[in-house]
């Protein structure tokens, strides 16, 4: 009979940043990309922001694969259903290490946690798993998952300033999925501080992002 075992191994993880990290940095962003995205492109979504005020940190998912089977661009994922709890532990520990490293470089910055698509679930699970304290939580075109501990989710996510953003033509966000999402929010007793619906599909729109930063972050 086969027996399953797990080993903790050392692994290189890639992180791209944008901006200048200093004592004058007002906002430190930890921004998690979506499924099958390449972090090189994802970080460019933030290039219009003031580089002295905003320091953007884009960690790459630990699982890489080819976008077209055996060919195509190399992209990444945060997790699959296989060994899901171990994968959550792995990326949560990784993200906490990244956060600690860059918070030392931006000691006076407010912390913004930003997730797009699969990155929303990633950020949510990380907050609950590691008891992450932040100032703002921006959830773009993704769902807070239904598998969180309800009390921890409420205690750790509810106090955050939560902004939910989605496109009105997003093919992954239907009336049914929004209804399910609301059920999850009700379960955790979480409310959004604000919601932004823009004209577009399943993407981070750079102009919308820039406008939200100008409107929401006045420091």
């Amino acid at each position: 009979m086969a027996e399953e075992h797990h080993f903790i191994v050392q692994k290189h993880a890639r992180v791209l940043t944008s901006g200048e990290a200093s004592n004058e940095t007002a906002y430190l962003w930890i921004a998690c990309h979506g499924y099958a995205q390449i972090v090189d492109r994802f970080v460019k979504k933030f290039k219009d922001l003031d580089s002295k005020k905003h320091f953007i940190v884009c960690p790459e998912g630990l699982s890489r694969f080819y976008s077209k089977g055996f060919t195509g661009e190399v992209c990444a994922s945060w997790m699959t259903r296989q060994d899901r709890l171990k994968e959550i532990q792995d990326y949560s520990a990784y993200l906490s290490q990244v956060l600690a490293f860059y918070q030392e470089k931006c000691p006076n910055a407010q912390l913004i946690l930003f997730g797009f698509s699969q990155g929303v679930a990633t950020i949510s699970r990380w907050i609950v798993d590691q008891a992450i304290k932040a100032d703002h939580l921006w959830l773009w075109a993704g769902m807070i998952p239904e598998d969180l501990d309800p009390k921890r989710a409420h205690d750790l996510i509810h106090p955050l300033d939560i902004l939910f953003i989605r496109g009105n033509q997003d093919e992954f966000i239907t009336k049914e999925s929004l209804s399910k999402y609301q059920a999850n929010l009700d379960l955790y007793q979480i409310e959004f501080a604000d919601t932004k619906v823009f004209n577009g599909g399943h993407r981070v729109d750079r102009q919308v992002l820039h406008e939200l930063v100008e409107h929401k972050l006045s420091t």
Side-chain angles (χ1 to χ4, degrees), residues 123-135:
I123 286 285
S124 302
R125 292 185 176 114
W126 172 43
I127 291 170
V128 173
D129 184 76
Q130 299 279 303
I132 301 301
K133 306 295 185 182
D135 299 287

Side-chain angles (χ1 to χ4, degrees), residues 1 3 17 27 31 48 52 77 85 171-173 198 215:
M1 180 181 293
E3 295 184 1
T17 65
Y27 297 100
D48 297 326
K52 294 186 181 298
S77 170
L85 295 180
E171 63 271 30
F172 297 104
I173 300 181
F198 66 93
H215 179 63

Side-chain angles (χ1 to χ4, degrees), residues 58-88:
C58 293
E60 185 173 72
L62 295 175
S63 300
R64 295 196 189 105
F65 57 97
Y66 291 109
S67 60
K68 297 180 180 179
F70 295 105
T71 62
E73 291 185 333
V74 176
C75 51
S77 170
W78 288 101
M79 64 172 291
T80 66
R81 63 176 176 269
Q82 183 74 25
D83 270 345
R84 58 181 302 280
L85 295 180
K86 296 296 184 185
E87 290 200 328
I88 293 171

Side-chain angles (χ1 to χ4, degrees), residues 161-165 191-196 212 215-216:
D161 180 32
I162 308 174
L163 174 60
F164 177 57
I165 313 105
E191 295 181 0
F192 297 142
D194 199 2
T195 298
K196 170 67 176 180
L212 286 170
H215 179 63
K216 298 292 183 182

